[in-house]
Amino acid sequence: MSDNTVIDERINSKYEAGFITDVEMQTFDPGLNENVIRKISAKKNEPEFMLEWRLDAYRQWLEMERPAWAQVNYPEIDFDAIAYYSSPKSQEDAPKSLAEVDPELLRTYEKLGIPLHEQEALAGVAVDIVFDSVSIITTFKEKLAESGVIFCSLSEAVIEHPELIKKYLGSVVPVNDNFYAALNCAVFSDGSFVYIPKGVKCPMELSTYFRINEMNTGQFERTLIIADEGSYVSYLEGCTAPSRDENQLHGAVVELVALKGAQIKYSTVQNWYPGDENGKGGIYNFVTKRGICHDDAKVSWTQVETGSAITWKYPSVVLLGDNSVGEFYSVALTRNAQQADTGTKMIHLGRNTRSTIISKGISAGKGSNSYRGLVNISPRAEGARNFTQCDSLLIGDKCSANTFPYIVSKNPSAIVEHEATTSKVSDDQLFLCQQRGIDPEKAVSMIVNGFCKSVFKELPMEFAMEAGKLLEVSLEGSVG
Amino acid sequence: MLNITNLKANVDGKEILKGLNIDVKPGEVHAIMGPNGSGKSTLSNVLAGRDKYEATAGTITFGGKDLLALEPEDRAREGIFLAFQYPVEIPGVSNLEFLKTSLECLHAYQNKPLLSAVEFLKLAREKCKLVDLHTDFLKRGVNEGFSGGEKKRNEIMQMLMLEPKLCLLDETDSGLDIDALKVVADGINTLRSPDRAFILITHYQRLLDYVQPDFVHVLSDGQIVKSGGSELALELEEKGYSWLESGTEQSANPLKV
């Protein structure tokens, strides 16, 4: 293969996950009212308490206003033009094993490079697959059950483990937390549920792969992870969607509960369809993610955000317990007309709580990239510490980067550090690479990868490589 | 190997090189000396193909090819290496990663077999030793937090790794203490061979005490005003440049500190 073929191929395959899967779908008509919510709940055979919870959320949502403070611009969303439930017909009878799953669906994940057959899977990674509004299959369930770990779709957990759902669902992100979270509570379709028992170190990495496929649908997934006292789990999520000219809404809620001494490591590689070079199409990614730490617990968020037309998300940690630890490592890349307003909130309530924030924003093309973060030290949080580092990297001269750090400290013993830098991929750096025989595109991707290194090293191995490759593809054509 | 004929070049619209001629054959070491602002660095930047350095007239052929028609990365792949006067930092990109990427690009272009990871590492460690850099440097970011001397030694280390056909050293000797200067000179002497050429751009005679040039050229106001053997460098050291610029001999040397 000559050099040129390689380049051509790569230019033509800008968003590799942009294909559409052709399976027969059952999709609700667009529109949102109590009836639609009842239908969603009925589809999932939910117990009465769940339906009531949804309806309550819906009524609160009707009274709420769309948040307007973020540094993003988009036209008013018509919530009645969205279909709130879509599922492949073949999922009607809830397949129990891979053999029963529609082969066309399996091929979708093969194309995306997600291993589903347990014997072929990456050693030590269990996967839950969410396709539009439903979970298709969860691998390694039996093996995990041996150590008492519950890993299943949220719909299944609502039926099988109602006591855990009643206790924890909405306990970290309250129903009325914000506009999009309330909407999610009303119409959430599927997502993953994880419970790690006391003292158990989860024997495998757990992961969920979210795929939006159907047109004009919104995906409102919801994930709940409970790590009981002294347990540990590492969880990964990945996301892709077809390339379409219409914008699609993705409004997820993720709640993490780390009980005394537990540790949760949550990693995201977000690669939703970003829209074309003129800003047409792409996913609106409006997501609420929050973890709560009890005494001596730790929640660590790592995110690599390269996709979506708009990203609005602030994975946060409530440091409720004494000596608890919150971490946030983020790489957000915007190019073309992508907009990202992302960051974190570290709420220090307990004594000697510590938090670390490392944020790397990369803007190319006409991309707009904002870091927005809150470090809040309550009067009780004796000895709290925070370290924040926000670095922005600009490629070209039409992009922008903003940093909005908010610091509220109500305890005089707290130590809060904030460092920020903005740099450009300089002509001198590019020329040094070229003079050593490296072409400019490869050079930019190498420089950007170097810039992100301190975040990438927080990702599990396979994901770190994936993230590096993703950046390379996303940056194509951003030089010159 | 390298032929420059009547080269004129602009920087930001200002003519810096005003008709420069030079011919370099394989195996030769040429020293280009001259006062500040005479066009020495412009020459190295034009040869390497840096943006904003625009050749307006004349020709440069390298190995029979029209050098000015090539992209900077292709000039490097053809075998031109520039040791920078002020090497930049690339934070987070390790020297090892940088060198490996560079070497792979060169070898792919030159149809040479790629080195295995083990062979590459062994080679990199060897070269580190030659320029007296601890192998820990390989893991550090490119020039990140390096001292001036370490940056220059790192340039020589890269040159040793990439084994170019033509080595351009742009004031590599400036700001070096005597030990670092010897390391740089040793690096150059190690690479000297009948099929490789060097152009040493320098302000001072110092480096030439350790690397004996075959030819010395004096650049002044964008032209070569005098060429000679290595004895010319000594003469410059003694007399300075002004006797060449003004055409009258002067004994006082403003450059001698």
Side-chain angles (χ1 to χ4, degrees):
Chain A
M1 199 180 286
S2 81
D3 269 10
N4 274 335
T5 349
V6 177
I7 292 165
D8 288 347
E9 227 171 58
R10 301 208 37 188
I11 286 168
N12 291 331
S13 62
K14 277 212 167 102
Y15 184 73
E16 294 183 0
F19 62 91
I20 297 168
T21 305
D22 188 15
V23 288
E24 207 180 335
M25 298 293 288
Q26 191 199 39
T27 305
F28 283 12
D29 289 334
L32 184 56
N33 52 50
E34 293 202 3
N35 230 356
V36 168
I37 292 165
R38 284 176 204 282
K39 268 168 70 186
I40 294 173
S41 189
K43 269 273 168 221
K44 297 182 170 294
N45 299 316
E46 286 179 351
E48 189 62 23
F49 82 89
M50 204 65 251
L51 174 62
E52 286 308 319
W53 195 77
R54 287 175 180 276
L55 290 172
D56 172 52
Y58 175 66
R59 287 165 199 148
Q60 295 199 50
W61 176 74
L62 286 175
E63 306 293 316
M64 294 171 83
E65 278 184 33
R66 197 175 69 125
W69 41 263
Q71 187 84 2
V72 292
N73 291 304
Y74 58 98
E76 192 95 24
I77 296 171
D78 179 359
F79 290 95
D80 279 322
I82 296 171
Y84 288 86
Y85 187 87
S86 180
S87 153
K89 267 229 165 99
S90 56
Q91 288 298 112
E92 287 283 272
D93 322 315
K96 289 280 171 290
S97 73
L98 274 181
E100 292 173 31
V101 174
D102 183 343
E104 189 58 33
L105 286 175
L106 294 182
R107 262 195 296 280
T108 302
Y109 293 95
E110 237 165 66
K111 264 164 109 172
L112 293 167
I114 316 296
L116 291 184
H117 292 277
E118 295 189 0
Q119 61 275 23
E120 297 165 11
L122 285 169
V125 183
V127 193
D128 182 26
I129 293 293
V130 177
F131 188 84
D132 287 335
S133 303
V134 291
S135 165
I136 302 291
I137 199 85
T138 309
T139 63
F140 291 107
K141 263 165 113 168
E142 287 76 25
K143 185 161 190 288
L144 289 165
E146 285 168 20
S147 19
V149 172
I150 304 170
F151 181 39
C152 61
S153 72
L154 190 64
S155 310
E156 190 180 329
V158 168
I159 294 163
E160 303 289 329
H161 309 284
E163 68 298 338
L164 289 171
I165 296 293
K166 276 185 192 162
K167 187 167 177 189
Y168 290 111
L169 196 72
S171 71
V172 189
V173 178
V175 167
N176 60 358
D177 186 80
N178 67 69
F179 183 83
Y180 293 106
L183 178 63
N184 175 288
C185 291
V187 301
F188 78 86
S189 35
D190 221 337
S192 301
F193 175 82
V194 176
Y195 172 79
I196 315 290
K198 260 183 206 174
V200 170
K201 183 178 188 300
C202 187
M204 324 179 80
E205 302 264 358
L206 305 183
S207 71
T208 305
Y209 195 90
F210 295 99
R211 175 78 178 166
I212 297 178
N213 187 62
E214 189 66 359
M215 210 179 324
N216 297 328
T217 55
Q219 189 176 57
F220 299 92
E221 97 249 5
R222 196 166 178 110
T223 292
L224 174 60
I225 298 177
I226 303 152
D228 212 328
E229 291 179 15
S231 67
Y232 170 86
V233 62
S234 168
Y235 176 93
L236 334 163
E237 70 173 343
C239 343
T240 56
S243 312
R244 285 214 173 87
D245 286 348
E246 298 78 28
N247 294 109
Q248 278 178 287
L249 179 61
H250 172 254
V253 171
V254 175
E255 295 179 285
L256 310 182
V257 180
L259 297 175
K260 188 174 168 29
Q263 291 190 23
I264 302 176
K265 183 174 169 58
Y266 191 105
S267 315
T268 304
V269 174
Q270 185 264 104
N271 185 25
W272 295 119
Y273 177 57
D276 69 9
E277 50 271 37
N278 303 314
K280 195 162 196 204
I283 302 290
Y284 291 162
N285 190 33
F286 299 149
V287 172
T288 306
K289 290 182 165 175
R290 197 173 301 154
I292 191 162
C293 285
H294 292 263
D295 286 353
D296 308 313
K298 176 174 167 182
V299 164
S300 178
W301 298 103
T302 306
Q303 61 172 22
V304 177
E305 305 278 321
T306 60
S308 296
I310 298 176
T311 297
W312 178 93
K313 91 179 239 205
Y314 314 90
S316 304
V317 186
V318 179
L319 297 158
L320 177 68
D322 293 347
N323 310 309
S324 58
V325 178
E327 292 175 341
F328 174 74
Y329 301 98
S330 170
V331 167
L333 172 105
T334 53
R335 65 185 291 250
N336 291 335
Q338 278 180 281
Q339 310 174 59
D341 191 301
T342 183
T344 184
K345 288 189 277 187
M346 292 291 172
I347 314 292
H348 291 255
L349 300 174
R351 280 179 287 270
N352 299 317
T353 43
R354 281 169 291 144
S355 62
T356 305
I357 300 170
I358 309 282
S359 164
K360 304 276 181 178
I362 303 149
S363 319
K366 290 174 285 179
S368 153
N369 207 325
S370 301
Y371 168 82
R372 188 182 302 276
L374 169 69
V375 176
N376 191 337
I377 315 268
S378 80
R380 232 194 105 237
E382 202 66 34
R385 293 208 55 163
N386 163 265
F387 174 76
T388 300
Q389 187 179 339
C390 295
D391 298 326
S392 306
L393 185 69
L394 303 174
I395 303 170
D397 52 10
K398 294 187 185 69
C399 54
S400 66
N402 300 292
T403 306
F404 305 100
Y406 303 84
I407 298 170
V408 180
S409 181
K410 293 182 180 153
N411 187 305
S413 70
I415 301 174
V416 179
E417 290 172 80
H418 182 96
E419 289 179 11
T421 64
T422 301
S423 52
K424 276 190 81 166
V425 172
S426 74
D427 292 347
D428 287 350
Q429 287 173 330
L430 275 183
F431 184 63
L432 168 62
C433 294
Q434 283 178 282
Q435 214 303 304
R436 298 299 183 256
I438 304 166
D439 61 73
E441 292 214 339
K442 197 175 223 159
V444 168
S445 101
M446 189 170 72
I447 293 166
V448 168
N449 265 295
F451 174 75
C452 300
K453 193 164 273 175
S454 56
V455 171
F456 283 173
K457 73 177 173 40
E458 298 297 325
L459 287 170
M461 185 70 149
E462 314 82 51
F463 255 41
M465 286 167 62
E466 190 65 24
K469 273 191 248 153
L470 199 55
L471 276 188
E472 213 169 283
V473 175
S474 301
L475 281 167
E476 260 169 20
S478 53
V479 188
Chain B
M1 173 184 269
L2 177 76
N3 182 277
I4 303 176
T5 308
N6 190 32
L7 179 67
K8 294 184 180 175
N10 286 359
V11 182
D12 292 329
K14 189 171 178 246
E15 186 166 81
I16 305 291
L17 297 182
K18 301 174 179 172
L20 185 140
N21 296 289
I22 195 168
D23 188 59
V24 178
K25 294 193 172 57
E28 294 176 350
V29 175
H30 291 245
I32 295 184
M33 303 180 74
N36 289 329
S38 58
K40 300 194 300 290
S41 284
T42 301
L43 176 62
S44 64
N45 281 311
V46 169
L47 285 172
R50 193 181 198 123
D51 260 7
K52 291 181 189 149
Y53 291 80
E54 190 198 349
T56 52
T59 56
I60 308 177
T61 55
F62 178 68
K65 289 192 179 164
D66 176 8
L67 194 70
L68 293 170
L70 296 177
E71 292 294 323
E73 59 269 30
D74 286 333
R75 299 184 193 194
R77 294 164 184 172
E78 288 288 339
I80 290 185
F81 180 95
L82 171 62
F84 287 86
Q85 188 176 0
Y86 305 107
V88 288
E89 301 189 0
I90 308 181
V93 177
S94 73
N95 274 298
L96 209 56
E97 198 182 334
F98 179 75
L99 273 172
K100 192 157 186 295
T101 310
S102 167
L103 205 60
E104 280 172 4
C105 288
L106 297 185
H107 284 184
Y109 184 86
Q110 297 158 358
N111 289 318
K112 285 188 191 163
L114 298 182
L115 295 181
S116 75
V118 176
E119 290 169 325
F120 170 77
L121 201 61
K122 190 164 164 272
L123 192 67
R125 288 200 175 125
E126 266 170 31
K127 306 301 183 194
C128 263
K129 231 171 247 159
L130 278 177
V131 294
D132 204 19
L133 281 176
H134 195 276
T135 48
D136 283 354
F137 270 80
L138 292 170
K139 290 182 208 146
R140 285 173 54 184
V142 175
N143 295 319
E144 201 179 350
F146 287 22
S147 72
E150 285 167 345
K151 283 182 182 172
K152 297 288 176 73
R153 276 187 277 166
N154 197 32
E155 293 291 292
I156 300 301
M157 142 75 181
Q158 289 174 19
M159 188 171 87
L160 291 167
M161 279 298 283
L162 303 180
E163 301 186 320
K165 289 187 196 133
L166 174 66
C167 307
L168 302 168
L169 288 92
D170 189 359
E171 305 217 11
T172 304
D173 52 337
S174 65
L176 292 187
D177 62 32
I178 192 72
D179 291 331
L181 187 71
K182 278 182 183 162
V183 167
V184 167
D186 284 349
I188 297 169
N189 288 326
T190 308
L191 273 184
R192 277 185 90 155
S193 84
D195 49 10
R196 180 174 291 126
F198 290 82
I199 297 179
L200 311 177
I201 290 171
T202 180
H203 200 104
Y204 303 107
Q205 150 72 20
R206 243 165 37 121
L207 178 64
L208 307 182
D209 288 341
Y210 302 95
V211 181
Q212 167 107 28
D214 301 305
F215 301 93
V216 174
H217 310 277
V218 180
L219 190 60
S220 174
D221 194 26
Q223 286 181 318
I224 288 181
V225 292
K226 194 170 176 62
S227 296
S230 61
E231 71 288 344
L232 179 57
L234 293 169
E235 203 178 342
L236 287 167
E237 179 81 352
E238 203 179 305
K239 296 184 181 171
Y241 291 112
S242 44
W243 63 283
L244 289 168
E245 286 169 353
S246 59
T248 55
E249 296 208 7
Q250 285 180 2
S251 56
N253 182 358
L255 293 172
K256 217 167 187 177
V257 185

